[in-house]
Amino acid sequence: MTLFSHVHALKMRMASGLVTMALATASIFAQPLSTFKWESVNTQGMGYVTGLVIHEKFPHHRYIRTDVGGVFRYDGTGSGAWANTCDVFSRSQDAVCDVESVALDTVNPNRVWKAAPLQREFVRNTDEVIFKGEVFTSDNRGVTWKPTGLASSKIYMGGNDDFRGMTGERLLIDPFNANRAYFGSRKQGLWRYDNSAWTKIKGLPEAPQPGVNFIVADRSAGQANGGARVLYAGVYGQGVWRSETSGVTWSQVVGSPNAYPLRAAVSATGTLFVTYGGDEGGEFNGTKIEGGVWRLKAGTWTRMVPDAEKATYSGITIDPQNSDHVLVARGGARQVFRTTNGGDTWVEMAKSALQSEPAYYPKPKPSNYNLPVGEWGNAALVFDPGVIDTVWQTNGFGVITTANVSAQTPTWSWSMRGLEELVIRGVKAPPARADNPAESAELLSLAADMIGFRHASVKDVPSSTLAPIDFVAGGTGLDYAGQKSQYAAFVGWDQDKGGWWAVRTGFSSDNGKSFTPFANTSPGSGGIIAMSANNPDNMVWAPTRWARPQVTFDRGQTWQPIIRKDGTDVPASFRLSNEWWNGQVLVADRIDGNRFYYLESGRFYTSADGGRTWEGSPREVWQMGMPPWWTLAANVVVNPTRSGQLFATFAANRNQREAFKMFRSDDFGMSFQPLETAQVVNFAAFGKGDADDKPYLYIHGRLSAATTDGIYRSKDLGTTWELVSDPTQNQFGKISSMDASKTKKNVIYIGTGGRGMFVGVGDEIPPPPLPYFGKAINTGGVDSGNFRADEGADSGNIFVSTGAITIGSVVEPAPQPVCQSERYGGRFTYTSPVLAEGRRYKVRVHFAEIWWGVDGFGGTSTGPGMRVFNVAVSNLRQPETVVLKGVDIFTEAGGANRALVREFEAYSDGTGRMKITFEALSTSPDGNAKVSGIEFIELGF
């Protein structure tokens, strides 16, 4: 995400001859799915979380919306991490991650709704591109999504526009009718979904952005016309409006005290609370807006929270267990006010330092207004309906939560595991440094807001940014010396210091552990930097904003403009004219320290003397079949094992319909030919291969028969390809950069414009299936037969009997020691061993009643009905679901010390796990569930 800036699509005139996305030619290359496993690079942030909702009946179902990273789901019963639900969308649909609103079905706990841009429409004979907003539903908690048809009405949505975090949820699922939904748009009023169709609601005034900021229902007023009778809508600039006819007719609420409502909440008794104000800085169109909090009770408006500043307020929440317990939050400074008497009196809550904060988050100091990062952009504020005294709040860096909101000084902690929303500008995987391989960085990254990071390991949260920052600063270019990877340099700009001219630079001689600013930054700001393969003092810098590229031979002490051999200037590249554009158009050869390459707007250039003089290609790039010069995401990739061999990729802009091939040069960029084996290539990277002179080539794109984006690997420079990602799970739609490890085979890194970074790790040969032994657990016992010793348990107790177990009619029974041991407890869980990812399994659960009905333990006559319990299954992709109901071992097995096996089918998740929960029924006299053994038998997909 970006805190202070939005990236707007460049509207350029289209070429007449367009290559469409309809790829009908059948591929002649095999595409077996490799064994690459994909995970997020662990940075734990940061990003603007603009909204949060929690299911009122299933409180472990928590969801957040973000400005550029999609919707995330919280795993409240297992890992305690956030999981993204937007990765399945393609690059042509990447705007769907700019989420406008999210809502939950009040009946079906697995159904989620979200509103976001989806489709692009190119207006014929004009430069105009229309982004059509859509409302989606998911019946599996965000694993897959279905459109509801709003896109046909061409509704504008902008989840990263102004007021992105200040406004409430624009989506409302009718609490009395789960098939009815409302959506408040930014420009086209209020819409209602009924009978699988959307219609525009009349009676509300049209308003410019941000438009209809919220819609809420008053449940205490009951229902009519097939849904909630009383609704409230906040129309920015027009105040609060009310419908008493289920949305059929509307009128402005009498005495509406302020024209600029932001968020609202209705208590169980029908009292309406509304927050008012401006955008993140308290303004609207450059004018300071009077803010505050007001209550509408029994038809009377009353101002809440005495505030002489009349500041902007955003978040508001009512305790679902106590309607008089209300919290409101100012739009910044983490100021939260609390009332326990329905708003008659308020107390400002004391602030404590935020716990579990990633070490790289900027610390308060005068140069950043002494503002802790958790105090910027306060957005949603939500009571947890399932955990008393627990509250969640979102802000410009992520999510915080407290479990003791009623305390004099509540303790707030960050909840950032899995919440990866950084806008990544580049990823670089240098080879291990020859002088100290053990101290080599695995990855270097560039990011908006946080400059970038040195990742000693992608599994560990970085301890610092590439350079100290006050608040937000963006890295735009990064390079290392191909033959001396302990040397690196970056360029960027300070987003918080007034404009693009606030330059940030750094030079490192310790593999990115520390950076020293260039002594001379006269060339400009931002842009791209390239470093000689063997002389780190020799760098070429192409800044942004049409600044001419310049070269240094003394580590940035002095610079001089680069020139052609005839003495004329080498021009600036259009692709670097804006600091937000991401073209990698300047690169250094990884072998020849004197060789650099540069893609200017219309021609390709190379230098053989360290960047002093340059030679242009005989033909312009368009004459070699390359895309038009306004294709911004152009990337030049150098073969690290062969000097002079280059590949160029071009990813279409949002306002282009084209799909582009990859181009190859074997003569230092003087000529290029298209690579015909892949129809669409957006990004490419080289990684370690089978030999020093045989690197692997990776691409993001599509072969000719593919209809979805994937990551492909080639061992022969693009002659044949293997698919190494699963497009049904992730299309890397927000991809912005790509690189692969030069040290380890089959390790690839993906940077995205709003979903942080991914790392893919693969095996050369698919590993053999896990042995049967690895898929069976002797719960409460030791290794026995194919059952491994007790592992994966969470709580519960162990009991072991020596009594013989009668097998009876059980097919494929467990060994006696398995049936003679058990884990028991009121509620406990087992997490499976690591299984194959996303596969269907038969789960065989082994029982024997070794307590009730056994002389010397529970008694010989007290077995039937004494122990009754349920068994449930869950994982990261599905909520907890009961699969075995009312298990009574004694009754079903026909007595004590008799074996019983029950079976069910379940899927493993993307981590190869599933969780089995055992819970006693509340009516069970014993109060304990139990289990003796668990088997996991793979059935396939």
Short mmCIF file of all heavy atoms in Angstrom, two decimals, residues 190-241:
data_model
loop_
_atom_site.label_atom_id
_atom_site.label_comp_id
_atom_site.label_asym_id
_atom_site.label_seq_id
_atom_site.Cartn_x
_atom_site.Cartn_y
_atom_site.Cartn_z
N LEU A 190 -27.04 4.30 -4.29
CA LEU A 190 -27.24 3.07 -3.53
C LEU A 190 -27.92 2.02 -4.41
O LEU A 190 -28.87 2.33 -5.13
CB LEU A 190 -28.11 3.37 -2.30
CG LEU A 190 -28.41 2.20 -1.37
CD1 LEU A 190 -27.13 1.68 -0.73
CD2 LEU A 190 -29.40 2.63 -0.29
N TRP A 191 -27.45 0.75 -4.28
CA TRP A 191 -27.97 -0.35 -5.08
C TRP A 191 -28.43 -1.48 -4.17
O TRP A 191 -27.88 -1.68 -3.08
CB TRP A 191 -26.91 -0.85 -6.05
CG TRP A 191 -26.58 0.16 -7.10
CD1 TRP A 191 -25.90 1.34 -6.94
CD2 TRP A 191 -26.94 0.11 -8.49
NE1 TRP A 191 -25.80 2.02 -8.13
CE2 TRP A 191 -26.43 1.28 -9.10
CE3 TRP A 191 -27.62 -0.81 -9.27
CZ2 TRP A 191 -26.59 1.54 -10.46
CZ3 TRP A 191 -27.77 -0.56 -10.63
CH2 TRP A 191 -27.27 0.61 -11.21
N ARG A 192 -29.43 -2.24 -4.66
CA ARG A 192 -29.93 -3.38 -3.89
C ARG A 192 -29.93 -4.63 -4.74
O ARG A 192 -30.25 -4.60 -5.92
CB ARG A 192 -31.36 -3.11 -3.39
CG ARG A 192 -31.86 -4.23 -2.46
CD ARG A 192 -33.14 -3.86 -1.76
NE ARG A 192 -34.31 -4.03 -2.60
CZ ARG A 192 -35.57 -3.83 -2.19
NH1 ARG A 192 -35.79 -3.43 -0.94
NH2 ARG A 192 -36.57 -4.00 -3.01
N TYR A 193 -29.52 -5.74 -4.10
CA TYR A 193 -29.47 -7.05 -4.74
C TYR A 193 -30.62 -7.89 -4.21
O TYR A 193 -30.72 -8.15 -3.02
CB TYR A 193 -28.14 -7.72 -4.42
CG TYR A 193 -27.93 -9.09 -5.04
CD1 TYR A 193 -27.58 -9.22 -6.37
CD2 TYR A 193 -28.03 -10.23 -4.25
CE1 TYR A 193 -27.35 -10.47 -6.92
CE2 TYR A 193 -27.80 -11.48 -4.80
CZ TYR A 193 -27.47 -11.60 -6.14
OH TYR A 193 -27.23 -12.84 -6.68
N ASP A 194 -31.51 -8.30 -5.11
CA ASP A 194 -32.68 -9.09 -4.75
C ASP A 194 -32.97 -10.04 -5.90
O ASP A 194 -32.92 -9.64 -7.07
CB ASP A 194 -33.90 -8.20 -4.52
CG ASP A 194 -34.39 -8.25 -3.09
OD1 ASP A 194 -34.20 -9.28 -2.44
OD2 ASP A 194 -34.97 -7.25 -2.63
N ASN A 195 -33.26 -11.29 -5.56
CA ASN A 195 -33.61 -12.25 -6.61
C ASN A 195 -32.54 -12.32 -7.69
O ASN A 195 -32.83 -12.34 -8.90
CB ASN A 195 -34.97 -11.89 -7.23
CG ASN A 195 -36.07 -11.92 -6.21
OD1 ASN A 195 -36.12 -12.80 -5.36
ND2 ASN A 195 -36.97 -10.93 -6.27
N SER A 196 -31.29 -12.31 -7.25
CA SER A 196 -30.13 -12.46 -8.13
C SER A 196 -29.98 -11.33 -9.13
O SER A 196 -29.38 -11.49 -10.19
CB SER A 196 -30.19 -13.80 -8.89
OG SER A 196 -30.22 -14.87 -7.98
N ALA A 197 -30.51 -10.15 -8.82
CA ALA A 197 -30.40 -9.01 -9.73
C ALA A 197 -30.19 -7.74 -8.91
O ALA A 197 -30.69 -7.59 -7.79
CB ALA A 197 -31.66 -8.87 -10.59
N TRP A 198 -29.43 -6.80 -9.51
CA TRP A 198 -29.17 -5.52 -8.88
C TRP A 198 -30.06 -4.44 -9.48
O TRP A 198 -30.25 -4.39 -10.69
CB TRP A 198 -27.71 -5.11 -9.09
CG TRP A 198 -26.73 -5.90 -8.28
CD1 TRP A 198 -26.04 -7.00 -8.67
CD2 TRP A 198 -26.33 -5.63 -6.94
NE1 TRP A 198 -25.23 -7.45 -7.66
CE2 TRP A 198 -25.39 -6.61 -6.57
CE3 TRP A 198 -26.68 -4.66 -5.99
CZ2 TRP A 198 -24.78 -6.66 -5.31
CZ3 TRP A 198 -26.08 -4.69 -4.74
CH2 TRP A 198 -25.15 -5.68 -4.41
N THR A 199 -30.60 -3.59 -8.62
CA THR A 199 -31.37 -2.44 -9.07
C THR A 199 -30.93 -1.22 -8.27
O THR A 199 -30.57 -1.33 -7.09
CB THR A 199 -32.88 -2.64 -8.88
OG1 THR A 199 -33.15 -2.95 -7.50
CG2 THR A 199 -33.40 -3.75 -9.77
N LYS A 200 -31.00 -0.07 -8.91
CA LYS A 200 -30.63 1.15 -8.22
C LYS A 200 -31.80 1.65 -7.39
O LYS A 200 -32.94 1.69 -7.85
CB LYS A 200 -30.21 2.22 -9.23
CG LYS A 200 -29.67 3.49 -8.57
CD LYS A 200 -29.13 4.47 -9.59
CE LYS A 200 -28.54 5.70 -8.91
NZ LYS A 200 -27.99 6.66 -9.90
N ILE A 201 -31.48 2.04 -6.15
CA ILE A 201 -32.51 2.55 -5.24
C ILE A 201 -32.70 4.04 -5.47
O ILE A 201 -31.73 4.80 -5.55
CB ILE A 201 -32.11 2.27 -3.79
CG1 ILE A 201 -32.25 0.77 -3.50
CG2 ILE A 201 -32.94 3.08 -2.82
CD1 ILE A 201 -31.92 0.38 -2.09
N LYS A 202 -33.95 4.46 -5.58
CA LYS A 202 -34.27 5.86 -5.79
C LYS A 202 -34.52 6.55 -4.45
O LYS A 202 -34.79 5.90 -3.45
CB LYS A 202 -35.50 6.00 -6.69
CG LYS A 202 -35.33 5.38 -8.07
CD LYS A 202 -36.61 5.51 -8.89
CE LYS A 202 -36.44 4.88 -10.26
NZ LYS A 202 -37.67 4.96 -11.08
N GLY A 203 -34.42 7.85 -4.47
CA GLY A 203 -34.76 8.61 -3.27
C GLY A 203 -33.58 9.16 -2.51
O GLY A 203 -33.75 10.05 -1.66
N LEU A 204 -32.39 8.66 -2.78
CA LEU A 204 -31.19 9.21 -2.15
C LEU A 204 -30.55 10.22 -3.09
O LEU A 204 -30.57 10.05 -4.31
CB LEU A 204 -30.19 8.11 -1.83
CG LEU A 204 -30.47 7.24 -0.61
CD1 LEU A 204 -29.45 6.12 -0.53
CD2 LEU A 204 -30.44 8.06 0.66
N PRO A 205 -29.94 11.27 -2.55
CA PRO A 205 -29.32 12.26 -3.43
C PRO A 205 -28.05 11.72 -4.06
O PRO A 205 -27.33 10.91 -3.48
CB PRO A 205 -29.01 13.43 -2.48
CG PRO A 205 -28.85 12.78 -1.15
CD PRO A 205 -29.83 11.64 -1.13
N GLU A 206 -27.78 12.16 -5.27
CA GLU A 206 -26.51 11.84 -5.91
C GLU A 206 -25.43 12.70 -5.26
O GLU A 206 -25.64 13.87 -4.98
CB GLU A 206 -26.58 12.13 -7.42
CG GLU A 206 -27.55 11.23 -8.17
CD GLU A 206 -26.96 9.84 -8.44
OE1 GLU A 206 -25.72 9.72 -8.44
OE2 GLU A 206 -27.74 8.90 -8.66
N ALA A 207 -24.28 12.11 -5.03
CA ALA A 207 -23.20 12.84 -4.39
C ALA A 207 -21.89 12.42 -5.02
O ALA A 207 -21.71 11.27 -5.40
CB ALA A 207 -23.18 12.56 -2.89
N PRO A 208 -20.95 13.36 -5.14
CA PRO A 208 -19.63 12.99 -5.67
C PRO A 208 -18.87 12.14 -4.65
O PRO A 208 -19.32 11.95 -3.52
CB PRO A 208 -18.95 14.34 -5.88
CG PRO A 208 -19.59 15.24 -4.86
CD PRO A 208 -21.02 14.78 -4.76
N GLN A 209 -17.70 11.66 -5.04
CA GLN A 209 -16.90 10.85 -4.13
C GLN A 209 -16.72 11.58 -2.80
O GLN A 209 -16.53 12.78 -2.78
CB GLN A 209 -15.52 10.56 -4.74
CG GLN A 209 -15.54 9.56 -5.88
CD GLN A 209 -14.27 8.72 -5.89
OE1 GLN A 209 -14.02 8.00 -4.95
NE2 GLN A 209 -13.49 8.84 -6.95
N PRO A 210 -16.80 10.82 -1.69
CA PRO A 210 -16.86 9.36 -1.60
C PRO A 210 -18.26 8.76 -1.67
O PRO A 210 -18.41 7.55 -1.52
CB PRO A 210 -16.25 9.10 -0.21
CG PRO A 210 -16.63 10.30 0.58
CD PRO A 210 -16.56 11.45 -0.38
N GLY A 211 -19.31 9.58 -1.87
CA GLY A 211 -20.64 9.05 -2.14
C GLY A 211 -21.34 8.49 -0.92
O GLY A 211 -21.37 9.11 0.16
N VAL A 212 -21.93 7.30 -1.08
CA VAL A 212 -22.67 6.64 0.01
C VAL A 212 -21.64 5.88 0.85
O VAL A 212 -21.15 4.82 0.46
CB VAL A 212 -23.75 5.69 -0.53
CG1 VAL A 212 -24.50 5.03 0.63
CG2 VAL A 212 -24.71 6.44 -1.43
N ASN A 213 -21.34 6.41 2.03
CA ASN A 213 -20.23 5.89 2.82
C ASN A 213 -20.58 4.66 3.65
O ASN A 213 -19.70 3.88 3.99
CB ASN A 213 -19.71 6.97 3.77
CG ASN A 213 -18.86 7.99 3.04
OD1 ASN A 213 -18.46 7.76 1.91
ND2 ASN A 213 -18.60 9.10 3.70
N PHE A 214 -21.84 4.51 4.03
CA PHE A 214 -22.23 3.34 4.82
C PHE A 214 -23.72 3.10 4.66
O PHE A 214 -24.48 3.99 4.29
CB PHE A 214 -21.88 3.52 6.31
CG PHE A 214 -22.64 4.63 7.00
CD1 PHE A 214 -23.97 4.46 7.42
CD2 PHE A 214 -22.03 5.85 7.27
CE1 PHE A 214 -24.66 5.47 8.05
CE2 PHE A 214 -22.73 6.87 7.92
CZ PHE A 214 -24.05 6.68 8.31
N ILE A 215 -24.10 1.87 4.96
CA ILE A 215 -25.51 1.53 5.10
C ILE A 215 -25.62 0.51 6.22
O ILE A 215 -24.88 -0.48 6.25
CB ILE A 215 -26.13 1.01 3.78
CG1 ILE A 215 -27.60 0.64 4.02
CG2 ILE A 215 -25.33 -0.12 3.19
CD1 ILE A 215 -28.37 0.41 2.73
N VAL A 216 -26.52 0.79 7.18
CA VAL A 216 -26.70 -0.08 8.34
C VAL A 216 -28.19 -0.31 8.55
O VAL A 216 -29.04 0.48 8.11
CB VAL A 216 -26.08 0.53 9.61
CG1 VAL A 216 -24.56 0.58 9.49
CG2 VAL A 216 -26.65 1.91 9.90
N ALA A 217 -28.51 -1.41 9.23
CA ALA A 217 -29.90 -1.77 9.51
C ALA A 217 -30.18 -1.65 10.99
O ALA A 217 -29.33 -1.97 11.83
CB ALA A 217 -30.19 -3.19 9.03
N ASP A 218 -31.41 -1.21 11.33
CA ASP A 218 -31.88 -1.18 12.71
C ASP A 218 -32.73 -2.43 12.94
O ASP A 218 -33.90 -2.48 12.56
CB ASP A 218 -32.70 0.09 12.96
CG ASP A 218 -33.27 0.15 14.37
OD1 ASP A 218 -32.96 -0.76 15.18
OD2 ASP A 218 -34.02 1.10 14.66
N ARG A 219 -32.13 -3.43 13.54
CA ARG A 219 -32.84 -4.70 13.73
C ARG A 219 -34.00 -4.57 14.71
O ARG A 219 -34.97 -5.32 14.63
CB ARG A 219 -31.88 -5.77 14.22
CG ARG A 219 -30.72 -6.04 13.29
CD ARG A 219 -29.96 -7.26 13.73
NE ARG A 219 -28.71 -7.41 12.99
CZ ARG A 219 -27.95 -8.48 13.03
NH1 ARG A 219 -28.29 -9.49 13.79
NH2 ARG A 219 -26.84 -8.54 12.34
N SER A 220 -33.88 -3.63 15.63
CA SER A 220 -34.94 -3.49 16.64
C SER A 220 -36.26 -3.07 16.02
O SER A 220 -37.32 -3.25 16.63
CB SER A 220 -34.52 -2.48 17.71
OG SER A 220 -34.46 -1.16 17.17
N ALA A 221 -36.21 -2.51 14.80
CA ALA A 221 -37.44 -2.06 14.12
C ALA A 221 -38.15 -3.18 13.39
O ALA A 221 -39.21 -2.97 12.79
CB ALA A 221 -37.11 -0.93 13.15
N GLY A 222 -37.56 -4.38 13.42
CA GLY A 222 -38.22 -5.51 12.79
C GLY A 222 -38.05 -5.53 11.28
O GLY A 222 -37.18 -4.86 10.72
N GLN A 223 -38.94 -6.28 10.63
CA GLN A 223 -38.81 -6.46 9.20
C GLN A 223 -40.10 -6.14 8.46
O GLN A 223 -41.18 -6.14 9.04
CB GLN A 223 -38.36 -7.88 8.88
CG GLN A 223 -39.23 -8.98 9.48
CD GLN A 223 -38.66 -10.36 9.18
OE1 GLN A 223 -38.34 -10.67 8.04
NE2 GLN A 223 -38.55 -11.20 10.20
N ALA A 224 -39.93 -5.86 7.17
CA ALA A 224 -41.05 -5.61 6.27
C ALA A 224 -40.55 -5.76 4.85
O ALA A 224 -39.36 -5.62 4.58
CB ALA A 224 -41.62 -4.19 6.49
N ASN A 225 -41.46 -6.06 3.96
CA ASN A 225 -41.11 -6.17 2.53
C ASN A 225 -39.96 -7.14 2.30
O ASN A 225 -39.12 -6.95 1.44
CB ASN A 225 -40.74 -4.80 1.96
CG ASN A 225 -41.86 -3.78 2.10
OD1 ASN A 225 -43.03 -4.10 1.89
ND2 ASN A 225 -41.50 -2.57 2.51
N GLY A 226 -39.92 -8.20 3.10
CA GLY A 226 -38.93 -9.24 2.89
C GLY A 226 -37.55 -8.93 3.42
O GLY A 226 -36.59 -9.61 3.06
N GLY A 227 -37.43 -7.93 4.30
CA GLY A 227 -36.11 -7.60 4.85
C GLY A 227 -36.23 -6.61 5.98
O GLY A 227 -37.33 -6.33 6.50
N ALA A 228 -35.10 -6.08 6.41
CA ALA A 228 -35.08 -5.11 7.50
C ALA A 228 -35.93 -3.90 7.13
O ALA A 228 -35.79 -3.35 6.03
CB ALA A 228 -33.66 -4.69 7.79
N ARG A 229 -36.77 -3.47 8.06
CA ARG A 229 -37.68 -2.35 7.78
C ARG A 229 -36.96 -1.02 7.78
O ARG A 229 -37.17 -0.18 6.90
CB ARG A 229 -38.82 -2.32 8.81
CG ARG A 229 -39.89 -1.27 8.51
CD ARG A 229 -41.03 -1.35 9.49
NE ARG A 229 -40.64 -0.93 10.83
CZ ARG A 229 -40.64 0.35 11.24
NH1 ARG A 229 -41.00 1.31 10.41
NH2 ARG A 229 -40.30 0.64 12.47
N VAL A 230 -36.09 -0.79 8.76
CA VAL A 230 -35.44 0.51 8.92
C VAL A 230 -33.97 0.40 8.53
O VAL A 230 -33.24 -0.45 9.05
CB VAL A 230 -35.58 1.04 10.35
CG1 VAL A 230 -34.76 2.32 10.54
CG2 VAL A 230 -37.04 1.30 10.68
N LEU A 231 -33.57 1.28 7.64
CA LEU A 231 -32.18 1.35 7.18
C LEU A 231 -31.69 2.79 7.31
O LEU A 231 -32.47 3.74 7.19
CB LEU A 231 -32.06 0.91 5.72
CG LEU A 231 -32.57 -0.47 5.34
CD1 LEU A 231 -32.63 -0.60 3.82
CD2 LEU A 231 -31.68 -1.55 5.94
N TYR A 232 -30.39 2.93 7.54
CA TYR A 232 -29.75 4.24 7.53
C TYR A 232 -28.62 4.22 6.51
O TYR A 232 -27.89 3.22 6.38
CB TYR A 232 -29.15 4.58 8.90
CG TYR A 232 -30.17 4.82 9.98
CD1 TYR A 232 -30.52 3.80 10.86
CD2 TYR A 232 -30.78 6.07 10.14
CE1 TYR A 232 -31.44 4.01 11.87
CE2 TYR A 232 -31.70 6.28 11.15
CZ TYR A 232 -32.03 5.25 12.01
OH TYR A 232 -32.96 5.46 13.01
N ALA A 233 -28.46 5.33 5.79
CA ALA A 233 -27.36 5.47 4.82
C ALA A 233 -26.68 6.81 5.05
O ALA A 233 -27.36 7.82 5.30
CB ALA A 233 -27.88 5.39 3.39
N GLY A 234 -25.37 6.81 4.99
CA GLY A 234 -24.62 8.05 5.11
C GLY A 234 -24.18 8.52 3.74
O GLY A 234 -23.44 7.83 3.04
N VAL A 235 -24.65 9.69 3.34
CA VAL A 235 -24.32 10.26 2.04
C VAL A 235 -23.41 11.46 2.28
O VAL A 235 -23.82 12.46 2.86
CB VAL A 235 -25.59 10.69 1.26
CG1 VAL A 235 -25.21 11.18 -0.13
CG2 VAL A 235 -26.58 9.53 1.18
N TYR A 236 -22.18 11.36 1.84
CA TYR A 236 -21.20 12.39 2.16
C TYR A 236 -21.58 13.71 1.51
O TYR A 236 -21.85 13.79 0.31
CB TYR A 236 -19.81 11.97 1.71
CG TYR A 236 -18.71 12.69 2.45
CD1 TYR A 236 -18.45 12.40 3.78
CD2 TYR A 236 -17.95 13.67 1.82
CE1 TYR A 236 -17.45 13.06 4.48
CE2 TYR A 236 -16.95 14.34 2.50
CZ TYR A 236 -16.70 14.03 3.84
OH TYR A 236 -15.71 14.69 4.52
N GLY A 237 -21.62 14.75 2.34
CA GLY A 237 -22.05 16.07 1.89
C GLY A 237 -23.54 16.28 2.00
O GLY A 237 -24.03 17.40 1.84
N GLN A 238 -24.30 15.19 2.29
CA GLN A 238 -25.76 15.28 2.34
C GLN A 238 -26.33 14.74 3.66
O GLN A 238 -27.55 14.70 3.83
CB GLN A 238 -26.38 14.50 1.18
CG GLN A 238 -25.93 14.95 -0.19
CD GLN A 238 -26.51 16.30 -0.58
OE1 GLN A 238 -27.56 16.69 -0.09
NE2 GLN A 238 -25.80 17.03 -1.43
N GLY A 239 -25.47 14.30 4.57
CA GLY A 239 -25.94 13.86 5.88
C GLY A 239 -26.43 12.42 5.91
O GLY A 239 -26.15 11.60 5.03
N VAL A 240 -27.20 12.10 6.96
CA VAL A 240 -27.71 10.74 7.19
C VAL A 240 -29.15 10.66 6.70
O VAL A 240 -29.98 11.53 6.98
CB VAL A 240 -27.65 10.39 8.69
CG1 VAL A 240 -28.26 9.02 8.95
CG2 VAL A 240 -26.20 10.42 9.18
N TRP A 241 -29.46 9.57 5.98
CA TRP A 241 -30.78 9.35 5.42
C TRP A 241 -31.36 8.06 6.00
O TRP A 241 -30.62 7.15 6.37
CB TRP A 241 -30.71 9.28 3.90
CG TRP A 241 -30.39 10.63 3.30
CD1 TRP A 241 -29.23 11.33 3.43
CD2 TRP A 241 -31.25 11.43 2.51
NE1 TRP A 241 -29.30 12.53 2.77
CE2 TRP A 241 -30.54 12.62 2.20
CE3 TRP A 241 -32.54 11.29 2.03
CZ2 TRP A 241 -31.10 13.64 1.43
CZ3 TRP A 241 -33.09 12.30 1.25
CH2 TRP A 241 -32.37 13.46 0.96
#
